[in-house]
Amino acid sequence: CMEFLASTLAQHPKLDPGGWTPLLDNLTRLPVALISQNGFTCLERLFYHVNVLSKKMSPMSTGDANSMGVIHDIDLSGLAYIWQIALETPDEALGGRASKTLRQVYSLAAADEREDCLIELALQSLAAAATPDADAGPEAEVVRVRRAERCLQLLAEYISESERDYTGPRTRTPHGVCFRGRPAVLTICTPMAAVKKVTVRTHSNATLAS
């Protein structure tokens, strides 16, 4: 059913636009564990169409019926549910896909719409997930730990992508060198008679400046 609906939305983007909003509302009421890859494809396309119709998002100038353009209002219909999928789904591949959608959304947001940016929201979710609940059962504890791990992963990927795509002059060191990477041992050989070999213990995020 989800596969058919996703295919229909892709092939006939102007089909009965009045039914998209209630369809998106109904889809976002489903438990996250029930959303499959096809279900998420359907969600993405409904998310796009509903928010373009409400003028919160501009379509891509390329004419692609399912590609996001500039986002004018970050209060997007269905966005909270995509956050929930990214942080809570037991399907790792689906969680990564939802995370990618979130990173794309916040990267495309207009400058004046970035106050509630991805970093702030992810940190809030991380703080909530970092507090154990003594009354929670084993299943709730698994979800809590999963949310914390996904928040950290989302933050790392978003910051890394943002700094990779930034091409302007830098006034400060990129975030990547602010945390330790994989341990590394460098052996430096010199032609000097007094010191032939120097061993340096470092990590993969270190630079000469750091």
Side-chain angles (χ1 to χ4, degrees):
C1 179
M2 288 293 186
E3 185 176 4
F4 171 77
L5 183 56
S7 176
T8 300
L9 285 167
Q11 295 172 16
H12 306 285
K14 297 183 179 180
L15 180 66
D16 189 20
W20 287 339
T21 299
L23 191 56
L24 178 62
D25 290 342
N26 288 332
L27 184 57
T28 56
R29 292 192 181 99
L30 289 175
V32 166
L34 296 181
I35 298 296
S36 63
Q37 291 286 347
N38 287 329
F40 190 75
T41 298
C42 181
L43 173 64
E44 279 188 311
R45 289 174 180 166
L46 283 170
F47 173 75
Y48 169 84
H49 292 308
V50 167
N51 288 296
V52 167
L53 280 172
S54 62
K55 310 296 184 185
K56 294 181 179 181
M57 180 193 303
S58 296
M60 283 287 285
S61 57
T62 58
D64 185 339
N66 299 291
S67 294
M68 291 183 281
V70 175
I71 292 169
H72 308 290
D73 183 351
I74 201 63
D75 185 22
L76 298 166
S77 300
L79 184 59
Y81 192 61
I82 295 176
W83 269 99
Q84 192 179 353
I85 293 171
L87 300 184
E88 295 182 7
T89 177
D91 184 333
E92 289 290 336
L94 183 57
R97 189 175 165 192
S99 173
K100 183 177 180 180
T101 299
L102 288 177
R103 300 196 305 271
Q104 183 182 14
V105 165
Y106 287 91
S107 296
L108 292 171
D112 59 348
E113 284 295 326
R114 292 187 185 177
E115 281 189 30
D116 287 334
C117 68
L118 182 147
I119 293 175
E120 182 180 347
L121 293 172
L123 287 174
Q124 290 173 2
S125 296
L126 178 60
T131 306
D133 184 354
D135 298 326
E139 190 172 329
E141 182 66 9
V142 169
V143 173
R144 183 187 71 81
V145 172
R146 182 185 297 139
R147 285 180 64 89
E149 291 174 345
R150 297 272 179 83
C151 283
L152 291 171
Q153 185 177 4
L154 178 59
L155 285 165
E157 289 171 348
Y158 181 68
I159 292 171
S160 177
E161 287 178 0
S162 298
E163 293 190 331
R164 182 195 63 204
D165 296 339
Y166 179 74
T167 57
R170 293 188 180 275
T171 58
R172 61 184 64 183
T173 305
H175 285 81
V177 299
C178 296
F179 60 90
R180 295 189 65 84
R182 295 179 182 276
V185 178
L186 304 180
T187 301
I188 304 170
C189 300
T190 73
M192 297 170 57
V195 183
K196 288 287 187 182
K197 188 182 295 185
V198 176
T199 300
V200 179
R201 295 185 180 277
T202 183
H203 59 94
S204 58
N205 288 334
T207 66
L208 290 175
S210 65

